[in-house]
Amino acid sequence: MKKSAHLEPMDASLQVRQPGSTSISIIVPVYNEEEVLLAFHNRLLASMYSVGRSWEVIYIDDGSRDTSNKLLRQLHAVTPQMGVLRFSRNFGKENAMSAGLRMCNGEAVIIIDADLQDPPELISPMISAWEAGADVVNMRRRKRAGESMVKRATSYAFYRIMNRVSDVALQQDVGDFRLLSRRVVDTLNQLPESNRFMKGLFSWVGFQQVALDYDRNPRAAGETKWNYWKLWNFALEGITGFSTAPLKIATYAGFISALWAFIYGAYFLLKTLFVGDAVTGFPTLIITILFLGGLQLMATGIIGEYLGRMFVESKRRPLYLVDQYHPPRQEMASFPAAEHRAVGR
Ligand code: UDP
Ligand code: MG
């Protein structure tokens, strides 16, 4: 693996953070990762000891059904900097990340996957970028080994569409591997919505963002938790969460078809009046009915996508439920109040 990571030029007027013992938090969402957990943990430890700051790692067990939780408990017993939060069931990676952001105490917080696709060795250059003043350090994949052409093509299309229609600019080829400063984390924790499309929220907060390039490795072991149906729904979540453009499609499609109907109607009226041929035109009729029917269903469907999400938001359910929490034994700073730990809101 190449360790190269170059820092993009930044504004010289930025506030520079003093090196010292400021604490770093690492958040690791885990769902059925028994095959890689040990290898990941060891590489993380090696990387953290070379950083020379106090640190903690919070593993969020997103309702794993394999032996991940048992493994995490064993690692917890021998790693004083480690905390384990277990959800009552699988709530998804977005919610796992939200939980981690709420639980951690670090001045800088790094989110990293457990499958070793995000190399833990890059934590050190990420911290350097934060020390230099960045609030968000985005890790941009230079190459995506082990991912199919179709996945890369759909991902490319998604970013193109998202950036065209939404108000926030999503960074192409940046996943969830990133560093966030304390003020960014505090801002994210205050957001009330249950639609946690984190990639969008990370961009939405703004502040000083920099990007480091890295080569994304294939998964060390185990399987990806994503399939195309999940990715499609994830994309819908992102688009509906950050843009109302699809709703406008319905409006404009309506305008265009009304205009077309008016012109076409006038044509038939005149034709009937002057030529008197009223019976032909069955194909036109059937096409028109089907086209308009389809258009109406589509528009209703788009509205439904938004309505459904409003329904979910309005219930104000917690983002996740905690089954168990085992905090790090080596406390870095004061932990959040107990009620914040019990449920996700
Ligand atoms: N993950 C999770 N909950 C889920 C699915 C995945 O916490 O419901 C975790 C998973 O254990 C891994 C990270 O999210 O640490 C990324 O998952 P994966 O490697 O399957 O995604 P990909 O890298 O293929 O996008
Ligand atoms: Mg992965």
Side-chain angles (χ1 to χ4, degrees):
M1 186 217 55
K2 267 192 259 154
K3 263 208 316 194
S4 56
H6 82 263
L7 187 54
E8 287 198 333
M10 283 196 305
D11 190 350
S13 67
L14 289 176
Q15 167 211 351
V16 173
R17 293 180 180 90
Q18 292 304 314
S21 64
T22 328
S23 44
I24 308 289
S25 295
I26 311 291
I27 295 174
V28 194
V30 174
Y31 181 51
N32 297 346
E33 301 285 6
E34 59 183 7
E35 287 161 87
V36 286
L37 263 180
L38 261 180
F40 170 82
H41 192 71
N42 286 333
R43 263 173 74 181
L44 179 74
L45 288 196
S47 170
M48 290 322 290
Y49 286 127
S50 72
V51 164
R53 288 175 179 268
S54 76
W55 62 281
E56 64 176 2
V57 54
I58 313 279
Y59 286 90
I60 314 293
D61 177 2
D62 188 6
S64 296
R65 279 180 296 241
D66 62 359
T67 58
S68 295
N69 195 253
K70 196 169 147 228
L71 268 171
L72 286 173
R73 297 290 299 279
Q74 287 166 354
L75 291 174
H76 179 254
V78 294
T79 319
Q81 298 90 341
M82 171 174 166
V84 184
L85 179 86
R86 179 167 164 83
F87 283 176
S88 64
R89 62 167 171 84
N90 180 248
F91 280 91
K93 187 185 178 190
E94 308 298 296
N95 292 328
M97 290 190 285
S98 298
L101 292 180
R102 285 174 178 162
M103 306 308 291
C104 68
N105 296 291
E107 281 304 306
V109 179
I110 292 167
I111 301 172
I112 185 168
D113 284 0
D115 59 5
L116 289 171
Q117 284 197 281
D118 311 329
E121 292 74 21
L122 294 181
I123 287 173
S124 176
M126 289 167 90
I127 292 173
S128 307
W130 168 72
E131 283 167 352
D135 279 293
V136 179
V137 183
N138 295 308
M139 300 305 283
R140 194 164 49 202
R141 314 177 262 237
R142 206 183 291 133
K143 87 173 188 240
R144 303 169 65 149
E147 290 185 4
S148 69
M149 275 287 286
V150 187
K151 181 156 184 192
R152 271 179 283 177
T154 45
S155 151
Y156 179 77
F158 169 69
Y159 283 105
R160 283 296 297 271
I161 294 172
M162 217 21 217
N163 284 339
R164 180 92 17 125
V165 302
S166 80
D167 323 324
V168 298
L170 282 195
Q171 301 216 16
Q172 183 104 33
D173 279 333
V174 175
D176 293 318
F177 185 28
R178 59 187 92 203
L179 177 148
L180 309 165
S181 71
R182 178 41 58 188
R183 62 176 176 171
V184 169
V185 173
D186 287 344
T187 312
L188 290 172
N189 287 343
Q190 279 165 18
L191 296 181
E193 63 247 59
S194 0
N195 173 343
R196 307 303 276 195
F197 181 73
M198 299 304 274
K199 279 191 217 324
L201 295 178
F202 294 145
S203 296
W204 176 85
V205 292
F207 294 116
Q208 187 63 41
Q209 309 226 352
V210 298
L212 300 186
D213 288 320
Y214 78 110
D215 293 329
R216 187 159 164 89
N217 298 320
R219 219 173 209 286
E223 273 175 11
T224 176
K225 310 298 177 297
W226 293 96
N227 55 41
Y228 284 105
W229 179 242
K230 274 194 181 174
L231 279 174
W232 164 249
N233 281 305
F234 184 65
L236 272 189
E237 207 60 65
I239 290 172
T240 51
F242 285 86
S243 163
T244 52
L247 288 172
K248 290 184 191 140
I249 295 178
T251 315
Y252 292 118
F255 270 131
I256 292 167
S257 54
L259 187 72
W260 172 77
F262 182 77
I263 297 168
Y264 210 46
Y267 163 75
F268 270 112
L269 186 70
L270 295 175
K271 198 175 161 200
T272 317
L273 281 180
F274 295 108
V275 186
D277 170 31
V279 183
T280 58
F282 178 72
T284 329
L285 199 64
I286 216 73
I287 289 169
T288 311
I289 290 173
L290 291 180
F291 174 74
L292 287 182
L295 204 65
Q296 279 167 7
L297 280 181
M298 192 189 79
T300 316
I302 293 175
I303 296 168
E305 288 290 329
Y306 284 88
L307 189 70
R309 283 175 175 82
M310 281 170 65
F311 173 63
V312 171
E313 287 289 343
S314 69
K315 285 192 282 194
R316 314 305 305 142
R317 291 218 177 118
L319 296 178
Y320 51 84
L321 292 177
V322 174
D323 176 24
Q324 308 161 3
Y325 181 52
H326 306 280
R329 273 163 293 129
Q330 182 178 299
E331 302 247 325
M332 293 200 315
S334 60
F335 276 90
E339 61 269 23
H340 287 284
R341 270 186 246 161
V343 284
R345 200 180 282 286

